[in-house]
Amino acid sequence: MNWKHAFTSSIGKKLVMGFTGLFLISFLVVHCYVNALIFFNDGGVKFTEAAHFMGTNPVIRIMEIGLTVGIFAHIIQGLLLTFENRAKRPVGYAKTPGNKSSKWYSRSMGLLGTLILLFFVLHWYHFWIPNRASQFMGNGEIDAYAKMKLVFSQAWVVIVYILGCVSLSFHLMHGFWSAFQTVGLSTRKYKSIINGMGMAFAIIVPLIFILMPLSFYLGWLA
């Protein structure tokens, strides 16, 4: 399978989705760990140390490029697959089987992915872009912890972040095991284990992300 075929065939698109999905899952683990350091409630000391390492380490900075490419590849291929599936079935079912054949979130991956993209754009606007812009201008890193306290003092922002994390949770409920299955890592022997891990991951990680803005807004953190 050449590169062109990988991005144009149905199988190729699914493989791209699977591998980029696994890569993004690993990113979520690291991002969740670093952000969860705020719960030490030490004024952001441990979080700032970790954020400084992530923001200045040359290896991490190079990996950011791959992460950005992976995110957009995942989104583009996901949308292409969604449009392709709809094109194969231009006329909807007279009566949909509902959750008897599949869960609603597995049928709504395109919608959930779009909502998550909008959430990412807002997140980049609030944190990643200002920080990288400050570094590029030679002013060093921004105080990410102070920035979080300021951003999450606004109720509408907290609500949007919570909705984005809920969308991420449902997206992961299908996407986690689907990624493993697509790349051939989900065998019959380990299917139930991977499904259980996926469900736990889809609940725990987004919940930690939800608690972050909520904790700042409610004044639980110093």
Side-chain angles (χ1 to χ4, degrees), residues 7 14 30 78 112 116 155 158 163 175 207 209 214 220:
F7 283 91
K14 289 178 181 178
V30 176
L112 291 171
I116 294 169
V158 174
L163 292 176
L207 180 60
F209 285 136
L214 203 59
W220 295 343

Side-chain angles (χ1 to χ4, degrees), residues 83-219:
F83 294 145
E84 184 179 288
N85 292 333
R86 289 182 179 178
K88 291 178 180 178
R89 193 172 58 246
V91 180
Y93 294 118
K95 184 178 180 180
T96 58
N99 288 337
K100 292 181 180 179
S101 60
S102 61
K103 298 297 184 181
W104 71 268
Y105 49 80
S106 66
R107 302 191 304 272
S108 307
M109 293 297 281
L111 173 61
L112 291 171
T114 301
L115 293 175
I116 294 169
L117 173 60
L118 296 175
F119 162 68
F120 276 161
V121 169
L122 183 64
H123 185 63
W124 288 330
Y125 170 77
H126 281 146
F127 300 104
W128 189 81
I129 293 176
N131 194 45
R132 292 296 174 264
S134 179
Q135 289 177 304
F136 181 77
M137 296 297 291
N139 298 322
E141 299 171 89
I142 65 172
D143 187 338
Y145 191 78
K147 181 73 171 179
M148 290 171 73
K149 291 179 70 174
L150 177 64
V151 169
F152 296 138
S153 66
Q154 305 172 75
W156 74 269
V157 174
V158 174
I159 292 171
V160 171
Y161 268 69
I162 290 174
L163 292 176
C165 291
V166 170
S167 298
L168 175 63
S169 178
F170 282 117
H171 191 78
L172 287 170
M173 284 182 185
H174 174 79
F176 188 98
W177 73 263
S178 179
F180 279 85
Q181 184 181 56
T182 299
V183 300
L185 297 177
S186 179
T187 62
R188 181 177 298 181
K189 181 179 180 181
Y190 299 109
K191 184 177 181 180
S192 60
I193 296 176
I194 292 175
N195 287 347
M197 289 173 55
M199 191 60 66
F201 188 90
I203 294 173
I204 295 172
V205 171
L207 180 60
I208 292 174
F209 285 136
I210 286 173
L211 287 174
M212 290 170 50
L214 203 59
S215 295
F216 279 110
Y217 185 75
L218 296 177

Side-chain angles (χ1 to χ4, degrees), residues 37-55:
L37 294 176
I38 66 172
F39 297 120
F40 277 98
N41 205 13
D42 57 358
V45 174
K46 288 184 175 60
F47 167 78
T48 301
E49 290 175 354
H52 173 71
F53 172 80
M54 298 295 289

